[in-house]
Amino acid sequence: MKFKRIDWICILVITAVYAAVALYNLGSTKSPETLWEPAASGESFYVDLGQSKQLERVNVFGGVGTGKFKLEFSESPDVWSSPLDVSEDVGNVFIWKSQPLNVAARYVKLTVTSPGFTLNEMAFYEQGGERVPLPIAGVTPDNAVAKRGVPANLFDEQSLIPEYSNFMNSTYFDEIYHARTAYEYTHGIVPYENTHPPLGKLLIAVGMELFGVNPFGWRIIGTLFGIAMLPLIYVMALRLFKKSKYAALAAGLFALDFMHFTQTRISTIDVYGVFFIMLMFYFMQRYYTMNFFRQPLRKTLIPLFWSGLFFGIGVASKWIVLYGGAGLAIMLAISLFERYREYRASGRLLAEGKIKDKELLGTSREVVNSFWKNTIITLASCVAFFVIIPVIIYSLSFVPGLSASAEGFTIKGLIDSQKNMYNYHSQLVATHPFASSWWQWPFMKRPVWFFSGSEGLPEGQVSSIVTMGNPLIWWTGIFAMLATLWLTLKRKDKNLYMIWIAFFSQYIPWMLVPRETFIYHYFAMVPFMILGIVYIMKLLDSKYPGARYVRYTYVIVALLLFVAFYPVLSGMQVSGDYVKNMLRWFPSWVF
């Protein structure tokens, strides 16, 4: 496969345009980072507002951990009244929360009632005043020694306090777990979230180390992986369909898919699993098109190595990649079976003794003599590539998290982590209003509403983020995938079997999962569904000269749908009537 000038142009244009859209309003690059983490109950401090104020509310930016504290108020720092209990729970991590007060005071005292929480910043607001924090005249701590930081840290970054809480300055949806865990990995804290392998969260942590503990920092790496998916699917499609126009079609449709956009702009781990699924199938498909009778055996093992490596990295990011492992095994088995058929055919020719052509005779002998050796070496290599190397990668990914525990990193701790993850997923009985079954995903019966914010918005305006598919791509895609299965088998397009093997190896296991599932679990199937659509378009082109107009129209409609739904994919402020009347096509589409 050789890249032409048109390929570089297509990749750069599609990727650059998408990157600009994806990075726009990704999140604030500034959040309070200095902190105070008390060590014990009873620790306290009080702040002096300089003069008595009628307090309307207090805004708090919480860090990792959970616990409780009490606020008390007074006109002098001797006698305290009007106690208010405040809980820092799991949902308060890296998010601005507002607590109403309605009390007059010059002094405010904070007393720890249950330690374990961390606070990054705090601001008091005057009733009827502007949305500007009241200045702090002084902070007086008690004599206790905090676990980390000092109380004055809660009032040293007041310029970073936003007017309103929204997705730009706070976590939303499962970011409260994954961004938090990423922070904990890099700060030697025992991670709160341990229901998924660590590597995806370690990748999130890279962004936080580079750009800070802020929304942009915890989202940027996933967004870059989402951007990188476009040249990757371009290369996959070019290898499968041999023409630049079909590769560009695949990359363009993936760029216009709603779920690809939303799932790669939120700080969760699905993007990493899907990215490595694409890579491992790309390299397995490369192996699948090779033949160890016609090419040096060592050369055929190279794509197998890369496929196994990315399989291991993917599993260390999220267990869903294990499902795809079955698809890799099927492709390997089909390839080796084809070599076995060649071996049997060559054996029959030699047994008949009727081969006159010396070259054919030599080739047949070489096939018969090398088959078992090549097969055994290939299978032994697969043990190394798909078992040993992935196990090493997977185990090493647990080092940061387990090292923070009292026992440190141990084999027992590693095994217990697997048991805990399995027990969580196998025994989960919780219900969720946005859950949906596997058979509903292709038809988008129940999108997941990631974020809804109305704070500070003009009346009638809304801000939402929902994850779902592009209706055109998803509703035609499932039928295109079924047609791809049928037509590739009928036409014996064996080099294209990867499309449906990858799709169904990821999809079928979800049919057996008894726990609550969500539409975003379908994300791993979307790249291969798009390849199925492109395959059908290619067949139409070969049969009907005017089919290109269908392709053009299809892309234009997909683009128009992306533009129409962009407000609820990005959190953009928009009229509530527009969302209600134009975008909520069905009662189950709640956003």
Side-chain angles (χ1 to χ4, degrees):
M1 182 183 70
K2 250 185 136 176
F3 259 51
K4 302 175 185 174
R5 186 167 178 266
I6 185 63
D7 295 311
W8 290 111
I9 293 173
C10 288
I11 284 180
L12 289 173
V13 170
I14 293 172
T15 304
V17 171
Y18 175 82
V21 176
L23 292 171
Y24 177 70
N25 275 352
L26 180 62
S28 172
T29 57
K30 295 289 184 182
S31 289
E33 294 200 28
T34 59
L35 54 83
W36 175 64
E37 182 181 2
S41 298
E43 287 186 42
S44 67
F45 67 87
Y46 68 85
V47 298
D48 180 5
L49 301 176
Q51 57 182 303
S52 181
K53 298 287 185 180
Q54 183 66 32
L55 300 178
E56 179 184 63
R57 71 189 186 283
V58 57
N59 284 8
V60 178
F61 188 76
V64 301
T66 58
K68 296 179 181 180
F69 60 87
K70 177 176 63 176
L71 294 178
E72 296 174 284
F73 307 88
S74 177
E75 295 295 345
S76 68
D78 302 312
V79 180
W80 302 96
S81 62
S82 306
L84 175 68
D85 292 319
V86 180
S87 293
E88 280 296 302
D89 56 32
V90 173
N92 289 5
V93 177
F94 301 143
I95 186 170
W96 284 100
K97 290 285 189 179
S98 184
Q99 182 76 40
L101 296 178
N102 192 26
V103 62
R106 173 177 173 173
Y107 299 94
V108 182
K109 181 180 181 181
L110 185 152
T111 303
V112 178
T113 54
S114 178
F117 64 88
T118 304
L119 301 181
N120 287 44
E121 199 71 13
M122 181 177 286
F124 296 95
Y125 293 84
E126 185 177 11
Q127 201 166 65
E130 298 180 2
R131 298 194 65 84
V132 178
L134 288 170
I136 303 300
V139 180
T140 304
D142 60 12
N143 295 322
V145 178
K147 190 173 182 180
R148 288 191 296 167
V150 295
N153 287 349
L154 303 187
F155 306 95
D156 66 343
E157 298 172 286
Q158 300 282 285
S159 62
L160 300 180
I161 299 175
E163 284 193 71
Y164 303 100
S165 177
N166 54 45
F167 75 95
M168 286 290 292
N169 54 53
S170 300
T171 52
Y172 68 95
F173 197 64
D174 282 353
E175 286 186 339
I176 62 173
Y177 305 118
H178 297 154
R180 168 186 178 167
T181 304
Y183 175 90
E184 290 168 335
Y185 282 150
T186 55
H187 287 78
I189 302 171
V190 177
Y192 169 80
E193 189 276 320
N194 55 11
T195 61
H196 296 287
L199 189 55
K201 288 155 286 187
L202 289 171
L203 289 169
I204 294 172
V206 172
M208 297 170 78
E209 287 294 298
L210 292 174
F211 299 98
V213 184
N214 55 64
F216 184 86
W218 60 67
R219 293 173 191 154
I220 181 60
I221 300 299
T223 304
L224 293 177
F225 269 72
I227 293 169
M229 285 178 173
L230 300 182
L232 175 54
I233 199 171
Y234 186 99
V235 172
M236 293 175 76
L238 186 62
R239 185 168 190 84
L240 291 171
F241 307 121
K242 313 301 182 187
K243 290 189 177 180
S244 302
K245 63 182 178 181
Y246 299 120
L249 177 62
L253 291 179
F254 203 21
L256 295 174
D257 182 62
F258 300 175
M259 183 166 286
H260 170 253
F261 185 74
T262 54
Q263 287 295 137
T264 61
R265 294 178 85 244
I266 185 174
S267 184
T268 55
I269 59 176
D270 300 83
V271 57
Y272 307 109
V274 176
F275 182 80
F276 293 119
I277 287 169
M278 293 173 68
L279 272 175
M280 71 189 196
F281 274 107
Y282 167 73
F283 282 103
M284 180 56 78
Q285 200 274 337
R286 286 188 61 174
Y287 170 78
Y288 186 81
T289 59
M290 302 174 84
N291 187 325
F292 57 46
F293 293 139
R294 298 180 179 87
Q295 292 156 297
L297 176 64
R298 184 180 300 177
K299 189 175 181 180
T300 67
L301 298 179
I302 294 174
L304 277 182
F305 165 77
W306 288 110
S307 181
L309 178 68
F310 291 122
F311 170 71
I313 297 173
V315 174
S317 301
K318 195 168 185 181
W319 274 2
I320 60 169
V321 182
L322 283 170
Y323 300 161
L328 298 178
I330 291 171
M331 292 184 68
L332 176 66
I334 294 175
S335 176
L336 292 178
F337 181 70
E338 290 295 321
R339 303 295 82 78
Y340 175 72
R341 291 180 63 186
E342 292 180 54
Y343 160 74
R344 289 293 302 272
S346 296
R348 284 195 300 270
L349 286 174
L350 291 173
E352 291 170 358
K354 298 180 180 179
I355 302 177
K356 305 296 184 182
D357 187 279
K358 289 185 178 180
E359 184 176 348
L360 179 59
L361 179 63
T363 300
S364 298
R365 285 174 177 169
E366 177 64 24
V367 168
V368 170
N369 293 334
S370 65
F371 171 73
W372 288 110
K373 181 190 75 172
N374 288 354
T375 299
I376 292 170
I377 292 175
T378 298
L379 292 175
S381 299
C382 285
V383 172
F385 299 159
F386 292 93
V387 180
I388 297 174
I389 292 176
V391 166
I392 293 172
I393 294 171
Y394 186 83
S395 300
L396 291 176
S397 72
F398 281 84
V399 170
L402 291 178
S403 295
S405 65
E407 299 80 14
F409 179 82
T410 63
I411 298 299
K412 180 181 182 302
L414 179 63
I415 294 172
D416 287 343
S417 294
Q418 313 318 304
K419 292 178 180 177
N420 292 338
M421 281 191 287
Y422 177 78
N423 290 338
Y424 170 82
H425 291 289
S426 63
Q427 298 172 13
L428 183 64
V429 293
T431 59
H432 197 285
F434 292 103
S436 56
S437 299
W438 61 269
W439 61 269
Q440 297 172 323
W441 300 340
F443 309 105
M444 299 189 300
K445 184 176 186 296
R446 193 65 166 172
V448 177
W449 197 1
F450 277 171
F451 171 80
S452 174
S454 58
E455 188 177 325
L457 297 182
E459 187 176 352
Q461 298 288 296
V462 297
S463 173
S464 287
I465 299 176
V466 63
T467 190
M468 58 189 289
N470 187 311
L472 177 66
I473 295 172
W474 281 37
W475 289 343
T476 59
I478 186 61
F479 298 106
M481 181 53 62
L482 294 173
T484 297
L485 170 62
W486 168 254
L487 291 171
T488 53
L489 290 172
K490 181 180 179 183
R491 295 164 55 90
K492 297 184 178 179
D493 287 336
K494 295 181 180 180
N495 289 346
L496 301 179
Y497 285 2
M498 182 272 286
I499 298 173
W500 55 265
I501 290 175
F503 179 91
F504 286 108
S505 67
Q506 290 292 142
Y507 195 16
I508 291 174
W510 286 107
M511 303 176 187
L512 310 175
V513 174
R515 53 157 282 191
E516 291 270 51
T517 54
F518 301 88
I519 192 173
Y520 55 74
H521 291 136
Y522 195 63
F523 184 30
M525 285 70 91
V526 172
F528 306 102
M529 178 178 69
I530 287 173
L531 292 175
I533 293 172
V534 175
Y535 173 65
I536 299 303
M537 294 280 190
K538 181 176 183 290
L539 291 182
L540 289 174
D541 279 348
S542 65
K543 193 167 185 179
Y544 305 104
R548 67 181 183 276
Y549 297 110
V550 174
R551 188 168 72 250
Y552 301 154
T553 303
Y554 190 93
V555 173
I556 291 170
V557 173
L559 174 61
L560 292 175
L561 286 170
F562 185 89
V563 172
F565 278 83
Y566 175 79
V568 295
L569 305 177
S570 64
M572 173 182 168
Q573 178 182 321
V574 70
S575 165
D577 289 336
Y578 173 75
V579 175
K580 180 180 178 181
N581 298 324
M582 300 296 294
L583 304 183
R584 290 180 186 163
W585 294 359
F586 305 100
S588 62
W589 286 18
V590 179
F591 49 82

